[in-house]
mmCIF file of all heavy atoms in Angstrom:
data_model
loop_
_atom_site.group_PDB
_atom_site.id
_atom_site.type_symbol
_atom_site.label_atom_id
_atom_site.label_comp_id
_atom_site.label_asym_id
_atom_site.label_seq_id
_atom_site.Cartn_x
_atom_site.Cartn_y
_atom_site.Cartn_z
ATOM 1 N N ILE A 1 -107.345 25.906 -84.218
ATOM 2 C CA ILE A 1 -106.468 27.052 -84.486
ATOM 3 C C ILE A 1 -107.289 28.246 -84.974
ATOM 4 O O ILE A 1 -107.042 29.392 -84.578
ATOM 5 C CB ILE A 1 -105.377 26.680 -85.510
ATOM 6 C CG1 ILE A 1 -104.443 25.596 -84.941
ATOM 7 C CG2 ILE A 1 -104.578 27.908 -85.921
ATOM 8 C CD1 ILE A 1 -103.679 26.012 -83.698
ATOM 9 N N ASN A 2 -108.264 27.994 -85.840
ATOM 10 C CA ASN A 2 -109.130 29.085 -86.310
ATOM 11 C C ASN A 2 -109.889 29.727 -85.152
ATOM 12 O O ASN A 2 -110.053 30.952 -85.097
ATOM 13 C CB ASN A 2 -110.114 28.552 -87.349
ATOM 14 C CG ASN A 2 -109.456 28.207 -88.667
ATOM 15 O OD1 ASN A 2 -108.370 28.698 -88.971
ATOM 16 N ND2 ASN A 2 -110.094 27.365 -89.451
ATOM 17 N N HIS A 3 -110.351 28.891 -84.228
ATOM 18 C CA HIS A 3 -111.053 29.415 -83.054
ATOM 19 C C HIS A 3 -110.088 30.222 -82.177
ATOM 20 O O HIS A 3 -110.463 31.273 -81.639
ATOM 21 C CB HIS A 3 -111.650 28.260 -82.255
ATOM 22 C CG HIS A 3 -112.564 28.683 -81.152
ATOM 23 N ND1 HIS A 3 -113.662 29.486 -81.352
ATOM 24 C CD2 HIS A 3 -112.539 28.416 -79.812
ATOM 25 C CE1 HIS A 3 -114.278 29.705 -80.202
ATOM 26 N NE2 HIS A 3 -113.615 29.072 -79.250
ATOM 27 N N ALA A 4 -108.865 29.743 -82.052
ATOM 28 C CA ALA A 4 -107.861 30.464 -81.267
ATOM 29 C C ALA A 4 -107.584 31.834 -81.870
ATOM 30 O O ALA A 4 -107.436 32.824 -81.138
ATOM 31 C CB ALA A 4 -106.577 29.645 -81.201
ATOM 32 N N CYS A 5 -107.523 31.907 -83.190
ATOM 33 C CA CYS A 5 -107.307 33.196 -83.857
ATOM 34 C C CYS A 5 -108.399 34.194 -83.474
ATOM 35 O O CYS A 5 -108.118 35.367 -83.193
ATOM 36 C CB CYS A 5 -107.278 33.006 -85.369
ATOM 37 S SG CYS A 5 -105.806 32.168 -85.992
ATOM 38 N N MET A 6 -109.626 33.723 -83.467
ATOM 39 C CA MET A 6 -110.742 34.600 -83.098
ATOM 40 C C MET A 6 -110.619 35.062 -81.652
ATOM 41 O O MET A 6 -110.784 36.247 -81.344
ATOM 42 C CB MET A 6 -112.067 33.848 -83.317
ATOM 43 C CG MET A 6 -113.313 34.676 -83.042
ATOM 44 S SD MET A 6 -113.821 34.697 -81.299
ATOM 45 C CE MET A 6 -114.281 32.972 -81.055
ATOM 46 N N LEU A 7 -110.282 34.136 -80.731
ATOM 47 C CA LEU A 7 -110.167 34.489 -79.315
ATOM 48 C C LEU A 7 -109.010 35.452 -79.068
ATOM 49 O O LEU A 7 -109.123 36.377 -78.254
ATOM 50 C CB LEU A 7 -109.991 33.226 -78.479
ATOM 51 C CG LEU A 7 -111.187 32.271 -78.414
ATOM 52 C CD1 LEU A 7 -110.833 31.031 -77.588
ATOM 53 C CD2 LEU A 7 -112.410 32.965 -77.814
ATOM 54 N N LEU A 8 -107.902 35.238 -79.754
ATOM 55 C CA LEU A 8 -106.732 36.097 -79.559
ATOM 56 C C LEU A 8 -107.022 37.542 -79.976
ATOM 57 O O LEU A 8 -106.502 38.490 -79.381
ATOM 58 C CB LEU A 8 -105.540 35.553 -80.346
ATOM 59 C CG LEU A 8 -104.909 34.273 -79.791
ATOM 60 C CD1 LEU A 8 -103.957 33.663 -80.806
ATOM 61 C CD2 LEU A 8 -104.188 34.541 -78.469
ATOM 62 N N LYS A 9 -107.841 37.710 -80.995
ATOM 63 C CA LYS A 9 -108.153 39.053 -81.494
ATOM 64 C C LYS A 9 -109.304 39.713 -80.746
ATOM 65 O O LYS A 9 -109.392 40.942 -80.697
ATOM 66 C CB LYS A 9 -108.488 38.983 -82.992
ATOM 67 C CG LYS A 9 -107.312 38.665 -83.892
ATOM 68 C CD LYS A 9 -106.282 39.782 -83.908
ATOM 69 C CE LYS A 9 -105.235 39.557 -84.986
ATOM 70 N NZ LYS A 9 -104.206 40.624 -85.008
ATOM 71 N N SER A 10 -110.194 38.907 -80.157
ATOM 72 C CA SER A 10 -111.431 39.478 -79.610
ATOM 73 C C SER A 10 -111.530 39.432 -78.090
ATOM 74 O O SER A 10 -112.492 39.957 -77.524
ATOM 75 C CB SER A 10 -112.640 38.756 -80.216
ATOM 76 O OG SER A 10 -112.634 37.386 -79.882
ATOM 77 N N THR A 11 -110.556 38.795 -77.420
ATOM 78 C CA THR A 11 -110.601 38.702 -75.955
ATOM 79 C C THR A 11 -109.245 39.055 -75.356
ATOM 80 O O THR A 11 -108.253 39.185 -76.079
ATOM 81 C CB THR A 11 -110.990 37.277 -75.493
ATOM 82 O OG1 THR A 11 -109.870 36.400 -75.676
ATOM 83 C CG2 THR A 11 -112.188 36.745 -76.256
ATOM 84 N N ASP A 12 -109.228 39.183 -74.031
ATOM 85 C CA ASP A 12 -107.977 39.435 -73.305
ATOM 86 C C ASP A 12 -107.469 38.177 -72.607
ATOM 87 O O ASP A 12 -106.639 38.262 -71.691
ATOM 88 C CB ASP A 12 -108.192 40.545 -72.265
ATOM 89 C CG ASP A 12 -108.501 41.881 -72.909
ATOM 90 O OD1 ASP A 12 -107.934 42.152 -73.992
ATOM 91 O OD2 ASP A 12 -109.318 42.639 -72.348
ATOM 92 N N MET A 13 -107.958 37.021 -73.006
ATOM 93 C CA MET A 13 -107.504 35.774 -72.393
ATOM 94 C C MET A 13 -106.002 35.605 -72.562
ATOM 95 O O MET A 13 -105.433 35.994 -73.585
ATOM 96 C CB MET A 13 -108.183 34.567 -73.061
ATOM 97 C CG MET A 13 -109.649 34.384 -72.757
ATOM 98 S SD MET A 13 -110.249 32.883 -73.582
ATOM 99 C CE MET A 13 -111.999 33.037 -73.246
ATOM 100 N N SER A 14 -105.380 34.997 -71.555
ATOM 101 C CA SER A 14 -103.963 34.664 -71.672
ATOM 102 C C SER A 14 -103.790 33.572 -72.729
ATOM 103 O O SER A 14 -104.761 32.923 -73.140
ATOM 104 C CB SER A 14 -103.424 34.167 -70.332
ATOM 105 O OG SER A 14 -104.016 32.918 -69.995
ATOM 106 N N ILE A 15 -102.554 33.348 -73.151
ATOM 107 C CA ILE A 15 -102.279 32.309 -74.150
ATOM 108 C C ILE A 15 -102.663 30.935 -73.610
ATOM 109 O O ILE A 15 -103.258 30.121 -74.327
ATOM 110 C CB ILE A 15 -100.793 32.314 -74.560
ATOM 111 C CG1 ILE A 15 -100.382 33.695 -75.111
ATOM 112 C CG2 ILE A 15 -100.519 31.237 -75.599
ATOM 113 C CD1 ILE A 15 -101.179 34.158 -76.296
ATOM 114 N N SER A 16 -102.377 30.691 -72.346
ATOM 115 C CA SER A 16 -102.719 29.389 -71.760
ATOM 116 C C SER A 16 -104.238 29.208 -71.662
ATOM 117 O O SER A 16 -104.762 28.119 -71.912
ATOM 118 C CB SER A 16 -102.078 29.236 -70.382
ATOM 119 O OG SER A 16 -102.519 30.252 -69.503
ATOM 120 N N GLU A 17 -104.961 30.278 -71.316
ATOM 121 C CA GLU A 17 -106.419 30.197 -71.266
ATOM 122 C C GLU A 17 -107.004 29.960 -72.658
ATOM 123 O O GLU A 17 -107.945 29.176 -72.837
ATOM 124 C CB GLU A 17 -106.998 31.482 -70.670
ATOM 125 C CG GLU A 17 -106.790 31.643 -69.175
ATOM 126 C CD GLU A 17 -107.278 32.991 -68.684
ATOM 127 O OE1 GLU A 17 -107.075 34.002 -69.396
ATOM 128 O OE2 GLU A 17 -107.876 33.030 -67.601
ATOM 129 N N THR A 18 -106.421 30.622 -73.637
ATOM 130 C CA THR A 18 -106.876 30.440 -75.021
ATOM 131 C C THR A 18 -106.657 29.003 -75.461
ATOM 132 O O THR A 18 -107.539 28.388 -76.070
ATOM 133 C CB THR A 18 -106.117 31.395 -75.961
ATOM 134 O OG1 THR A 18 -106.365 32.740 -75.568
ATOM 135 C CG2 THR A 18 -106.546 31.189 -77.403
ATOM 136 N N ALA A 19 -105.495 28.463 -75.142
ATOM 137 C CA ALA A 19 -105.205 27.079 -75.509
ATOM 138 C C ALA A 19 -106.224 26.127 -74.893
ATOM 139 O O ALA A 19 -106.749 25.236 -75.562
ATOM 140 C CB ALA A 19 -103.795 26.711 -75.057
ATOM 141 N N GLU A 20 -106.519 26.337 -73.619
ATOM 142 C CA GLU A 20 -107.472 25.467 -72.928
ATOM 143 C C GLU A 20 -108.870 25.591 -73.538
ATOM 144 O O GLU A 20 -109.567 24.585 -73.729
ATOM 145 C CB GLU A 20 -107.516 25.822 -71.449
ATOM 146 C CG GLU A 20 -108.394 24.904 -70.623
ATOM 147 C CD GLU A 20 -108.381 25.250 -69.142
ATOM 148 O OE1 GLU A 20 -107.630 26.178 -68.755
ATOM 149 O OE2 GLU A 20 -109.117 24.594 -68.379
ATOM 150 N N LYS A 21 -109.289 26.815 -73.840
ATOM 151 C CA LYS A 21 -110.603 27.036 -74.424
ATOM 152 C C LYS A 21 -110.750 26.370 -75.791
ATOM 153 O O LYS A 21 -111.847 26.040 -76.230
ATOM 154 C CB LYS A 21 -110.878 28.535 -74.582
ATOM 155 C CG LYS A 21 -111.282 29.242 -73.305
ATOM 156 C CD LYS A 21 -112.720 28.888 -72.931
ATOM 157 C CE LYS A 21 -113.176 29.687 -71.730
ATOM 158 N NZ LYS A 21 -114.576 29.319 -71.331
ATOM 159 N N CYS A 22 -109.620 26.182 -76.458
ATOM 160 C CA CYS A 22 -109.640 25.596 -77.798
ATOM 161 C C CYS A 22 -109.399 24.087 -77.785
ATOM 162 O O CYS A 22 -109.319 23.466 -78.853
ATOM 163 C CB CYS A 22 -108.601 26.277 -78.685
ATOM 164 S SG CYS A 22 -108.980 28.021 -78.997
ATOM 165 N N GLY A 23 -109.289 23.502 -76.612
ATOM 166 C CA GLY A 23 -109.161 22.050 -76.524
ATOM 167 C C GLY A 23 -107.751 21.522 -76.389
ATOM 168 O O GLY A 23 -107.528 20.311 -76.496
ATOM 169 N N PHE A 24 -106.769 22.406 -76.131
ATOM 170 C CA PHE A 24 -105.379 21.975 -75.970
ATOM 171 C C PHE A 24 -105.027 21.900 -74.484
ATOM 172 O O PHE A 24 -105.199 22.877 -73.752
ATOM 173 C CB PHE A 24 -104.427 22.957 -76.667
ATOM 174 C CG PHE A 24 -104.567 22.982 -78.162
ATOM 175 C CD1 PHE A 24 -105.287 24.001 -78.789
ATOM 176 C CD2 PHE A 24 -103.985 22.002 -78.944
ATOM 177 C CE1 PHE A 24 -105.417 24.040 -80.162
ATOM 178 C CE2 PHE A 24 -104.105 22.033 -80.336
ATOM 179 C CZ PHE A 24 -104.827 23.053 -80.944
ATOM 180 N N ASP A 25 -104.520 20.761 -74.051
ATOM 181 C CA ASP A 25 -104.126 20.586 -72.647
ATOM 182 C C ASP A 25 -102.757 21.188 -72.352
ATOM 183 O O ASP A 25 -102.452 21.545 -71.218
ATOM 184 C CB ASP A 25 -104.099 19.091 -72.277
ATOM 185 C CG ASP A 25 -105.496 18.480 -72.335
ATOM 186 O OD1 ASP A 25 -106.468 19.215 -72.094
ATOM 187 O OD2 ASP A 25 -105.603 17.278 -72.624
ATOM 188 N N ASN A 26 -101.932 21.298 -73.399
ATOM 189 C CA ASN A 26 -100.554 21.742 -73.233
ATOM 190 C C ASN A 26 -100.341 23.028 -74.020
ATOM 191 O O ASN A 26 -100.461 23.039 -75.251
ATOM 192 C CB ASN A 26 -99.602 20.636 -73.709
ATOM 193 C CG ASN A 26 -98.147 20.952 -73.425
ATOM 194 O OD1 ASN A 26 -97.630 21.970 -73.868
ATOM 195 N ND2 ASN A 26 -97.492 20.071 -72.680
ATOM 196 N N VAL A 27 -100.009 24.123 -73.315
ATOM 197 C CA VAL A 27 -99.866 25.407 -73.982
ATOM 198 C C VAL A 27 -98.669 25.422 -74.925
ATOM 199 O O VAL A 27 -98.693 26.078 -75.977
ATOM 200 C CB VAL A 27 -99.772 26.555 -72.948
ATOM 201 C CG1 VAL A 27 -98.490 26.446 -72.135
ATOM 202 C CG2 VAL A 27 -99.875 27.911 -73.646
ATOM 203 N N ASN A 28 -97.601 24.696 -74.590
ATOM 204 C CA ASN A 28 -96.438 24.655 -75.475
ATOM 205 C C ASN A 28 -96.768 23.942 -76.793
ATOM 206 O O ASN A 28 -96.338 24.369 -77.871
ATOM 207 C CB ASN A 28 -95.267 23.961 -74.777
ATOM 208 C CG ASN A 28 -94.728 24.773 -73.615
ATOM 209 O OD1 ASN A 28 -94.707 26.008 -73.656
ATOM 210 N ND2 ASN A 28 -94.296 24.096 -72.560
ATOM 211 N N TYR A 29 -97.520 22.851 -76.683
ATOM 212 C CA TYR A 29 -97.952 22.124 -77.883
ATOM 213 C C TYR A 29 -98.850 23.018 -78.742
ATOM 214 O O TYR A 29 -98.708 23.076 -79.965
ATOM 215 C CB TYR A 29 -98.694 20.856 -77.470
ATOM 216 C CG TYR A 29 -99.271 20.053 -78.598
ATOM 217 C CD1 TYR A 29 -98.455 19.512 -79.588
ATOM 218 C CD2 TYR A 29 -100.646 19.836 -78.684
ATOM 219 C CE1 TYR A 29 -98.985 18.774 -80.639
ATOM 220 C CE2 TYR A 29 -101.193 19.095 -79.721
ATOM 221 C CZ TYR A 29 -100.357 18.568 -80.697
ATOM 222 O OH TYR A 29 -100.894 17.828 -81.726
ATOM 223 N N PHE A 30 -99.749 23.737 -78.093
ATOM 224 C CA PHE A 30 -100.614 24.680 -78.800
ATOM 225 C C PHE A 30 -99.796 25.730 -79.528
ATOM 226 O O PHE A 30 -100.040 26.024 -80.714
ATOM 227 C CB PHE A 30 -101.566 25.352 -77.801
ATOM 228 C CG PHE A 30 -102.193 26.626 -78.322
ATOM 229 C CD1 PHE A 30 -103.132 26.597 -79.341
ATOM 230 C CD2 PHE A 30 -101.840 27.857 -77.766
ATOM 231 C CE1 PHE A 30 -103.701 27.778 -79.814
ATOM 232 C CE2 PHE A 30 -102.415 29.029 -78.239
ATOM 233 C CZ PHE A 30 -103.345 29.000 -79.266
ATOM 234 N N SER A 31 -98.816 26.299 -78.861
ATOM 235 C CA SER A 31 -97.999 27.359 -79.467
ATOM 236 C C SER A 31 -97.215 26.845 -80.670
ATOM 237 O O SER A 31 -97.093 27.547 -81.687
ATOM 238 C CB SER A 31 -97.043 27.944 -78.420
ATOM 239 O OG SER A 31 -97.765 28.582 -77.384
ATOM 240 N N ARG A 32 -96.705 25.608 -80.561
ATOM 241 C CA ARG A 32 -95.961 25.038 -81.688
ATOM 242 C C ARG A 32 -96.877 24.821 -82.890
ATOM 243 O O ARG A 32 -96.523 25.157 -84.025
ATOM 244 C CB ARG A 32 -95.316 23.706 -81.285
ATOM 245 C CG ARG A 32 -94.118 23.838 -80.356
ATOM 246 C CD ARG A 32 -93.290 22.564 -80.354
ATOM 247 N NE ARG A 32 -94.062 21.387 -79.977
ATOM 248 C CZ ARG A 32 -94.244 20.975 -78.717
ATOM 249 N NH1 ARG A 32 -93.691 21.667 -77.720
ATOM 250 N NH2 ARG A 32 -94.949 19.891 -78.462
ATOM 251 N N LEU A 33 -98.061 24.262 -82.650
ATOM 252 C CA LEU A 33 -99.006 24.032 -83.750
ATOM 253 C C LEU A 33 -99.472 25.348 -84.364
ATOM 254 O O LEU A 33 -99.602 25.466 -85.587
ATOM 255 C CB LEU A 33 -100.218 23.251 -83.241
ATOM 256 C CG LEU A 33 -100.058 21.753 -83.024
ATOM 257 C CD1 LEU A 33 -101.332 21.156 -82.461
ATOM 258 C CD2 LEU A 33 -99.681 21.049 -84.321
ATOM 259 N N PHE A 34 -99.726 26.331 -83.506
ATOM 260 C CA PHE A 34 -100.198 27.626 -83.986
ATOM 261 C C PHE A 34 -99.153 28.251 -84.915
ATOM 262 O O PHE A 34 -99.482 28.714 -86.015
ATOM 263 C CB PHE A 34 -100.478 28.558 -82.809
ATOM 264 C CG PHE A 34 -101.194 29.815 -83.200
ATOM 265 C CD1 PHE A 34 -102.576 29.908 -83.056
ATOM 266 C CD2 PHE A 34 -100.519 30.924 -83.697
ATOM 267 C CE1 PHE A 34 -103.254 31.066 -83.421
ATOM 268 C CE2 PHE A 34 -101.178 32.077 -84.067
ATOM 269 C CZ PHE A 34 -102.554 32.153 -83.928
ATOM 270 N N LYS A 35 -97.893 28.236 -84.499
ATOM 271 C CA LYS A 35 -96.845 28.838 -85.319
ATOM 272 C C LYS A 35 -96.650 28.064 -86.620
ATOM 273 O O LYS A 35 -96.409 28.654 -87.685
ATOM 274 C CB LYS A 35 -95.526 28.896 -84.542
ATOM 275 C CG LYS A 35 -94.425 29.636 -85.310
ATOM 276 C CD LYS A 35 -93.179 29.828 -84.472
ATOM 277 C CE LYS A 35 -92.140 30.617 -85.266
ATOM 278 N NZ LYS A 35 -90.902 30.841 -84.484
ATOM 279 N N LYS A 36 -96.773 26.735 -86.554
ATOM 280 C CA LYS A 36 -96.604 25.909 -87.751
ATOM 281 C C LYS A 36 -97.672 26.240 -88.791
ATOM 282 O O LYS A 36 -97.389 26.313 -89.994
ATOM 283 C CB LYS A 36 -96.694 24.428 -87.373
ATOM 284 C CG LYS A 36 -96.516 23.474 -88.547
ATOM 285 C CD LYS A 36 -96.587 22.029 -88.087
ATOM 286 C CE LYS A 36 -96.434 21.071 -89.259
ATOM 287 N NZ LYS A 36 -96.514 19.648 -88.827
ATOM 288 N N ARG A 37 -98.907 26.473 -88.343
ATOM 289 C CA ARG A 37 -100.006 26.728 -89.274
ATOM 290 C C ARG A 37 -100.137 28.192 -89.662
ATOM 291 O O ARG A 37 -100.534 28.517 -90.773
ATOM 292 C CB ARG A 37 -101.338 26.228 -88.689
ATOM 293 C CG ARG A 37 -101.513 24.730 -88.866
ATOM 294 C CD ARG A 37 -102.639 24.179 -88.029
ATOM 295 N NE ARG A 37 -102.992 22.826 -88.428
ATOM 296 C CZ ARG A 37 -102.246 21.756 -88.226
ATOM 297 N NH1 ARG A 37 -101.073 21.882 -87.616
ATOM 298 N NH2 ARG A 37 -102.636 20.565 -88.636
ATOM 299 N N MET A 38 -99.837 29.095 -88.730
ATOM 300 C CA MET A 38 -100.051 30.517 -88.979
ATOM 301 C C MET A 38 -98.768 31.271 -89.315
ATOM 302 O O MET A 38 -98.814 32.425 -89.751
ATOM 303 C CB MET A 38 -100.719 31.164 -87.759
ATOM 304 C CG MET A 38 -102.047 30.540 -87.345
ATOM 305 S SD MET A 38 -103.280 30.585 -88.659
ATOM 306 C CE MET A 38 -103.487 32.347 -88.885
ATOM 307 N N GLY A 39 -97.614 30.647 -89.080
ATOM 308 C CA GLY A 39 -96.341 31.292 -89.385
ATOM 309 C C GLY A 39 -95.936 32.355 -88.386
ATOM 310 O O GLY A 39 -95.031 33.159 -88.659
ATOM 311 N N ILE A 40 -96.602 32.379 -87.237
ATOM 312 C CA ILE A 40 -96.333 33.379 -86.210
ATOM 313 C C ILE A 40 -96.798 32.813 -84.872
ATOM 314 O O ILE A 40 -97.669 31.944 -84.824
ATOM 315 C CB ILE A 40 -97.080 34.696 -86.540
ATOM 316 C CG1 ILE A 40 -96.606 35.845 -85.669
ATOM 317 C CG2 ILE A 40 -98.591 34.511 -86.451
ATOM 318 C CD1 ILE A 40 -97.162 37.201 -86.094
ATOM 319 N N THR A 41 -96.211 33.291 -83.780
ATOM 320 C CA THR A 41 -96.610 32.808 -82.462
ATOM 321 C C THR A 41 -97.979 33.383 -82.084
ATOM 322 O O THR A 41 -98.410 34.403 -82.649
ATOM 323 C CB THR A 41 -95.599 33.231 -81.395
ATOM 324 O OG1 THR A 41 -95.602 34.671 -81.314
ATOM 325 C CG2 THR A 41 -94.201 32.727 -81.722
ATOM 326 N N PRO A 42 -98.687 32.757 -81.128
ATOM 327 C CA PRO A 42 -99.963 33.323 -80.688
ATOM 328 C C PRO A 42 -99.851 34.760 -80.189
ATOM 329 O O PRO A 42 -100.695 35.603 -80.511
ATOM 330 C CB PRO A 42 -100.395 32.369 -79.566
ATOM 331 C CG PRO A 42 -99.742 31.076 -79.897
ATOM 332 C CD PRO A 42 -98.424 31.439 -80.504
ATOM 333 N N SER A 43 -98.810 35.041 -79.414
ATOM 334 C CA SER A 43 -98.654 36.412 -78.913
ATOM 335 C C SER A 43 -98.351 37.381 -80.047
ATOM 336 O O SER A 43 -98.828 38.524 -80.050
ATOM 337 C CB SER A 43 -97.546 36.462 -77.850
ATOM 338 O OG SER A 43 -96.318 35.994 -78.387
#
């Protein structure tokens, strides 16, 4: 999730590409975990 935060702020990767780069196979699972830990959606 910390790595995803960096990618979301510093690149133009899509949410699904960001999830894959961070080791998540499922973008929906990634989005749920991200919101649970960060209190906000990736977008």
Side-chain angles (χ1 to χ4, degrees):
I1 296 298
N2 289 339
H3 189 56
C5 289
M6 183 275 294
L7 293 178
L8 288 167
K9 290 293 190 181
S10 62
T11 75
D12 294 325
M13 288 182 187
S14 67
I15 303 302
S16 60
E17 287 175 321
T18 300
E20 185 178 357
K21 282 286 185 182
C22 294
F24 294 101
D25 294 330
N26 187 302
V27 66
N28 292 325
Y29 176 61
F30 162 69
S31 296
R32 287 198 303 273
L33 282 177
F34 190 97
K35 185 173 182 180
K36 181 179 179 181
R37 280 167 167 71
M38 303 301 297
I40 192 172
T41 64
S43 58

